Amino acid sequence: MTKKTLKMAESEERRVLAKRKTEQAAVTSTQAYFALNRTAATGVDGQTWEGYGANLQDLHERIHSGSYKPRPTKRVWLPKPDGRKRPIGITALEDKIVQQALVWVLESIYEEDFLGFSYGFRLGRSQHQALDAVYMALTTKKVGWVLDADIQGFFDHLDHEWLMQFVSHRVSDRRVLDILVRTLRAGVEDEGRRERTRAGTPQGAVISPLLANIYLHARTAFTRALLAAQTAPWLRPALCP
């Protein structure tokens, strides 16, 4: 068996295992509903946590029938220390429920893939652990420099097409993929004006941190492969055909 054939077989096996996880993740809308912050701000629907409970069965049926459609995110502008404003997206309550369920399903798949030096918005991880890891690296290894970087406007410009390619590489369940696409394209309502979303995922949405991690993980893995190809030239044709 050639290396290429072996790699394809391993990739297909991972997709099969991921599909089983999405099927076995018996996440109900009720579980997701009770996991939400009950005092969070309301979205464009104005629906509060207390008043929604009776609608859970209807939401469950719409999800499984494929008729569920997310509502636009309500955009709120928060002031920044430098005088500029930062957009925050407030999601409608039933969309928060669906997104929470999606997070649980996708986390069960991607937590096995995420790299060890990834700490942000991870299960059982925190910024304090990241600082501990930096401290250990600085005090136990020869470190010549430290790079502190910020991706400007990352959440606002996250590419939907690339993100869906990354997710579909690990998830084959069409229901999950369809709901995710609808969520990304639900649009934004800003002071009564409705806008289409061609890129980005709202800061403040339940699912946004996980989508950001998936996107960054895929880009990081590709970058690491390219760097490895610099010391292993035979990899270049496979990475850049």
Side-chain angles (χ1 to χ4, degrees):
M1 182 179 291
T2 65
K3 291 183 179 180
K4 183 177 180 180
T5 304
L6 180 61
K7 186 176 181 180
M8 292 176 61
E10 291 175 346
S11 178
E12 182 59 27
E13 182 181 5
R14 284 159 59 84
R15 284 174 60 85
V16 171
L17 291 174
K19 183 177 181 180
R20 289 176 182 172
K21 286 186 177 182
T22 59
E23 293 172 346
Q24 293 171 357
V27 177
T28 67
S29 53
T30 302
Q31 289 173 309
Y33 171 69
F34 281 102
L36 297 180
N37 179 357
R38 306 184 183 189
T39 60
T42 59
V44 295
D45 57 348
Q47 181 70 63
T48 62
W49 187 90
E50 291 83 0
Y52 189 84
N55 300 324
L56 287 171
Q57 183 59 37
D58 176 65
L59 174 60
H60 179 80
E61 293 174 356
R62 282 186 284 126
I63 291 172
H64 285 275
S65 68
S67 60
Y68 161 75
K69 292 183 179 180
R71 294 173 181 264
T73 300
K74 182 167 71 175
R75 180 179 290 161
V76 177
W77 295 89
L78 299 181
K80 299 176 69 173
D82 60 5
R84 294 180 298 169
K85 291 186 177 182
R86 177 168 63 101
I88 292 292
I90 302 178
T91 312
L93 188 94
E94 76 171 19
D95 298 331
K96 292 179 183 178
I97 297 171
V98 175
Q99 288 185 25
Q100 181 60 66
L102 277 176
V103 166
W104 286 336
V105 170
L106 293 175
E107 277 181 342
S108 69
I109 297 169
Y110 277 97
E111 275 299 321
E112 296 181 0
D113 294 353
F114 289 150
L115 299 171
F117 53 74
S118 170
Y119 288 89
F121 305 105
R122 294 277 308 279
L123 287 172
R125 295 192 169 214
S126 68
Q127 62 270 35
H128 300 293
Q129 293 174 322
L131 290 173
D132 288 342
V134 172
Y135 173 80
M136 290 299 296
L138 292 174
T139 56
T140 61
K141 298 181 180 181
K142 293 182 179 180
V143 178
W145 52 271
V146 176
L147 175 63
D148 181 12
D150 179 39
I151 304 177
Q152 184 176 5
F154 174 71
F155 282 93
D156 298 332
H157 299 95
L158 190 146
D159 189 290
H160 291 173
E161 184 176 348
W162 275 111
L163 175 63
M164 290 310 303
Q165 287 191 40
F166 296 151
V167 175
S168 62
H169 182 69
R170 293 289 279 120
V171 178
S172 58
D173 191 317
R174 289 307 314 174
R175 291 176 302 174
V176 173
L177 296 175
D178 287 345
I179 290 175
L180 185 52
V181 169
R182 292 181 184 183
T183 298
L184 290 171
R185 298 176 179 175
V188 174
E189 188 171 292
D190 189 352
E191 297 182 350
R193 301 188 309 273
R194 184 166 296 187
E195 303 174 5
R196 296 179 61 185
T197 46
R198 302 180 185 276
T201 180
Q203 294 188 56
V206 175
I207 201 171
S208 291
L210 178 58
L211 295 182
N213 278 344
I214 292 173
Y215 192 91
L216 289 174
H217 169 76
R219 298 302 296 264
T220 301
F222 184 72
T223 301
R224 283 160 62 92
L226 285 179
L227 292 174
Q230 293 180 2
T231 56
W234 57 270
L235 279 174
R236 291 173 188 162
L239 292 170
C240 303

